[in-house]
Amino acid sequence: MSSARWLFVRRTSQLLFLFLFVFLLLRTEYRGNDVIQYPVNTFFQLDPLLGLATLLGLREPIAHFWPALLVVAVTLVLGRVFCGWFCPLGSLLDVTRRLLAKVPAPPRPLAWQGRRVKYYLLAAILAAAVANWQAAWLLDPFSLLARGFSVGVIPAANAAVNAVFNGVYFGLPALRPVSEPVFNVLKGWVLTYEQQHFRWAWLSLGLLLSVLALERWQPRFWCRNLCPLGGMLSLCARGRRLARRVSDECTDCGSCWGTCPVGLIEEGTHRRSQAECTACMRCPRVCPQEAIGFAFAGGRDEAPLDVDRRRLLGAAAAGVALVPLTRVHPARVAVPDARLRPPGARAEADFLNRCLRCGACMKVCMRNAIHPALHEAGWEGLFTPVMDYDVGYCEYNCNLCGQVCPSEAIRRLPLPEKQRTVIGTAAFDKGRCLPWALHRNCLVCEEHCPTGEKAIVFDETDATGPDGKPVRLKLPRVVQERCIGCGICQQKCPLQGRKAVAVYPNGETRGQDFGQG
């Protein structure tokens, strides 16, 4: 097959896997079905970095990550093709570079060559995992991409599209015969079932946009310099069977110099085979002598791994040193009850080592109750899922978050078990509750309580109402043995601002550890 055709096949593969990733991400949500048929967690289970970091942090393998072994096996034979052919973030970077081609270039192209950095970051991440802090999510390409899309891109795009079609529907009724069929197709396949809003969405979106923006300064900046998964695959690729080869017909004309998206082919390096090669198939296409190709076996002039051992050890030491710093929790002292986890969440230490911060549980939550944490769970819990009952509540008849979690940080609970799982316990602020504070009856919390035997009940008493007349007052209280902490009472409380009832993680059941967090 000609080099041009191989290039076409690679680009087709990139677009296909990027489309598949986005498609699965869009389908990872409630659409009237109790089971998610096509969750995006399949991609995460292909990630050997997440699999290894989780294994080191937990001291035990997770069966769900067995597909990652296939990626390692392919890399051992074919080299770092995953980054050039299949990685959705790499594909998005290539698309971004094309879109930014017409943007004025910076006054000075970025000349920094920091390809060693990804190896140092990899060492720091793995050392931190050994020290019981799973930090791979911070720089893993799947986590970055899924989290940015789930809490930032998709909600913003959904709101914009709805606004446009609503404007057409009400402002340009003549276009309805055209706009409504299009809108129905988008609603069935692209738009979310309900509009979602996430706190701190700008932070996840900003991290993703920063990675994309670096394309203007240097092609594949993220992949060549910072991606720890790319560094890991490059190490695996050093013994590969398929490699780039340059024949004796090469005249050193320089046509291939600078064509490599990860910056491997320059003057003096163009004859070498390098483990960081993503097999993008660009260099064979530009060679006028057809001296560049890819072949199995045979000798090759392999470039050395240019990594400073002292800096590598220093990076590993830094990874270990960061672990106790992430466990300084000033927020917990100020707001000790701020952390509520989704139903099925494991005990906190186990949960933090498993959670990939991918945002899948947040996106799938039908009531928009799950949000990324900033400081509520301490800095080691950054971006982990927490419940915000001022925005939404945990639907009593839903167990979707456990279905989509790729690492079982949130266990998949059968619905009857989920309905018995205690997230926390509600408590009333008698200084704000209308019956307690103002002697005005309010039945909202009890009406919405979903448990079979109501967890909110009333104690009736005679009192004097706000108008001075006697009233039979119903004072609400929580039966703690029945409350599961779903938060609907807090979310539906009619008071503006701080609610009169709130849920705290008292009595939560997390895995086998009752009341621990």
Side-chain angles (χ1 to χ4, degrees), residues 74 88 122 129 198 203 270 276 296 298 303 331 338 358 448 454 460 490:
V74 169
L122 175 63
F198 296 98
L203 185 55
H270 61 287
E276 294 188 14
F296 285 94
C358 63
H448 284 90
K454 295 284 187 178
E460 296 191 22
Q490 178 178 337

Side-chain angles (χ1 to χ4, degrees), residues 180-318:
E180 284 305 287
V182 175
F183 180 70
N184 289 332
V185 172
L186 292 176
K187 188 165 60 174
W189 293 96
V190 179
L191 298 179
T192 54
Y193 190 76
E194 289 187 2
Q195 179 63 49
Q196 294 180 307
H197 304 276
F198 296 98
R199 60 185 190 181
W200 312 118
W202 59 269
L203 185 55
S204 296
L205 182 59
L207 290 173
L208 176 59
L209 292 179
S210 298
V211 171
L212 299 180
L214 290 172
E215 282 298 293
R216 193 66 195 104
W217 279 265
Q218 192 179 70
R220 288 279 188 132
F221 181 94
W222 169 262
C223 303
R224 71 167 75 181
N225 299 315
L226 300 178
C227 181
L229 175 58
M232 181 179 182
L233 295 178
S234 296
L235 293 176
C236 294
R238 295 196 67 78
R240 68 202 179 283
R241 303 300 296 166
L242 179 69
R244 174 181 173 274
R245 307 182 190 281
V246 180
S247 70
D248 294 336
E249 297 178 0
C250 176
T251 61
D252 297 332
C253 66
S255 298
C256 61
W257 301 349
T259 59
C260 179
V262 290
L264 298 178
I265 304 178
E266 303 292 344
E267 183 178 4
T269 65
H270 61 287
R271 290 180 178 271
R272 287 179 173 177
S273 171
Q274 304 197 40
E276 294 188 14
C277 174
T278 61
C280 69
M281 301 298 170
R282 292 184 181 181
C283 51
R285 186 182 181 187
V286 300
C287 181
Q289 309 300 326
E290 298 184 354
I292 303 175
F294 287 80
F296 285 94
R300 60 175 181 264
D301 182 15
E302 183 74 27
L305 180 62
D306 187 19
V307 176
D308 186 89
R309 292 184 179 179
R310 291 184 179 180
R311 292 183 179 179
L312 197 67
L313 292 174

Side-chain angles (χ1 to χ4, degrees), residues 246-502:
V246 180
S247 70
D248 294 336
E249 297 178 0
C250 176
T251 61
D252 297 332
C253 66
S255 298
C256 61
W257 301 349
T259 59
C260 179
V262 290
L264 298 178
I265 304 178
E266 303 292 344
E267 183 178 4
T269 65
H270 61 287
R271 290 180 178 271
R272 287 179 173 177
S273 171
Q274 304 197 40
E276 294 188 14
C277 174
T278 61
C280 69
M281 301 298 170
R282 292 184 181 181
C283 51
R285 186 182 181 187
V286 300
C287 181
Q289 309 300 326
E290 298 184 354
I292 303 175
F294 287 80
F296 285 94
R300 60 175 181 264
D301 182 15
E302 183 74 27
L305 180 62
D306 187 19
V307 176
D308 186 89
R309 292 184 179 179
R310 291 184 179 180
R311 292 183 179 179
L312 197 67
L313 292 174
V320 174
L322 280 174
V323 175
L325 296 180
T326 65
R327 293 172 181 170
V328 177
H329 301 319
R332 287 191 181 178
V333 176
V335 193
D337 295 319
R339 186 216 63 244
L340 286 163
R341 297 297 189 192
R346 295 176 180 270
E348 189 70 0
D350 192 8
F351 177 83
L352 291 175
N353 273 321
R354 286 176 178 264
C355 181
L356 307 181
R357 282 72 161 174
C358 63
C361 58
M362 305 170 199
K363 187 178 184 306
V364 83
C365 181
M366 66 169 69
R367 302 302 181 191
N368 201 189
I370 308 179
H371 294 255
L374 185 63
H375 56 68
E376 297 90 333
W379 303 122
E380 64 176 337
L382 182 67
F383 292 136
T384 55
V386 292
M387 312 299 286
D388 188 338
Y389 291 148
D390 289 332
V391 179
Y393 61 91
C394 182
E395 172 60 49
Y396 187 66
N397 296 308
C398 170
N399 62 353
L400 298 181
C401 54
Q403 294 184 34
V404 302
C405 182
S407 62
E408 290 191 331
I410 301 173
R411 295 180 299 123
R412 182 170 183 168
L413 301 177
L415 191 58
E417 182 180 351
K418 182 265 180 182
Q419 293 173 342
R420 297 191 302 268
T421 299
V422 179
I423 307 173
T425 306
F428 283 95
D429 181 350
K430 295 181 180 180
R432 291 184 60 79
C433 181
L434 294 177
W436 285 99
L438 300 179
H439 292 181
R440 290 173 52 187
N441 277 320
C442 175
L443 311 179
V444 173
C445 55
E446 190 270 347
E447 288 177 342
H448 284 90
C449 183
T451 56
E453 192 173 3
K454 295 284 187 178
I456 296 179
V457 298
F458 293 118
D459 294 325
E460 296 191 22
T461 184
D462 293 322
T464 302
D467 56 1
K469 296 180 180 180
V471 62
R472 188 66 177 172
L473 199 62
K474 293 185 175 182
L475 301 175
R477 64 179 173 88
V478 177
V479 182
Q480 293 192 6
E481 295 77 14
R482 304 173 190 168
C483 181
I484 60 173
C486 68
I488 191 171
C489 54
Q490 178 178 337
Q491 210 280 324
K492 298 297 184 179
C493 178
L495 288 185
Q496 299 295 316
R498 185 165 55 87
K499 304 294 186 176
V501 59

Side-chain angles (χ1 to χ4, degrees), residues 39-227:
V40 76
N41 59 20
T42 305
F43 270 88
F44 287 88
Q45 292 160 4
L46 290 169
D47 191 325
L49 175 62
L50 293 177
L52 179 58
T54 306
L55 183 152
L56 294 175
L58 295 173
R59 311 296 195 270
E60 64 180 47
I62 299 179
H64 284 287
F65 281 108
W66 72 263
L69 297 176
L70 299 179
V71 175
V72 173
V74 169
T75 304
L76 291 173
V77 177
L78 302 180
R80 194 182 164 188
V81 295
F82 181 83
C83 302
W85 290 64
F86 308 113
C87 178
L89 181 56
S91 303
L92 185 60
L93 290 174
D94 287 345
V95 172
T96 302
R97 184 170 66 251
R98 288 177 173 270
L99 295 177
L100 294 178
K102 296 182 180 180
V103 177
R108 291 184 179 179
L110 189 61
W112 180 62
Q113 295 294 331
R115 65 177 66 256
R116 299 178 182 178
V117 174
K118 60 180 174 289
Y119 297 108
Y120 303 144
L121 291 173
L122 175 63
I125 287 170
L126 297 182
V130 172
N132 204 31
W133 180 43
Q134 200 271 81
W137 58 268
L138 186 61
L139 295 173
D140 182 79
F142 288 160
S143 293
L144 273 171
L145 185 59
R147 188 172 61 245
F149 267 72
S150 294
V151 306
V153 175
I154 292 177
N158 191 78
V161 171
N162 275 295
V164 169
F165 279 92
N166 285 337
V168 172
Y169 185 87
F170 292 106
L172 299 170
L175 296 180
R176 289 179 189 173
V178 176
S179 65
E180 284 305 287
V182 175
F183 180 70
N184 289 332
V185 172
L186 292 176
K187 188 165 60 174
W189 293 96
V190 179
L191 298 179
T192 54
Y193 190 76
E194 289 187 2
Q195 179 63 49
Q196 294 180 307
H197 304 276
F198 296 98
R199 60 185 190 181
W200 312 118
W202 59 269
L203 185 55
S204 296
L205 182 59
L207 290 173
L208 176 59
L209 292 179
S210 298
V211 171
L212 299 180
L214 290 172
E215 282 298 293
R216 193 66 195 104
W217 279 265
Q218 192 179 70
R220 288 279 188 132
F221 181 94
W222 169 262
C223 303
R224 71 167 75 181
N225 299 315
L226 300 178
C227 181

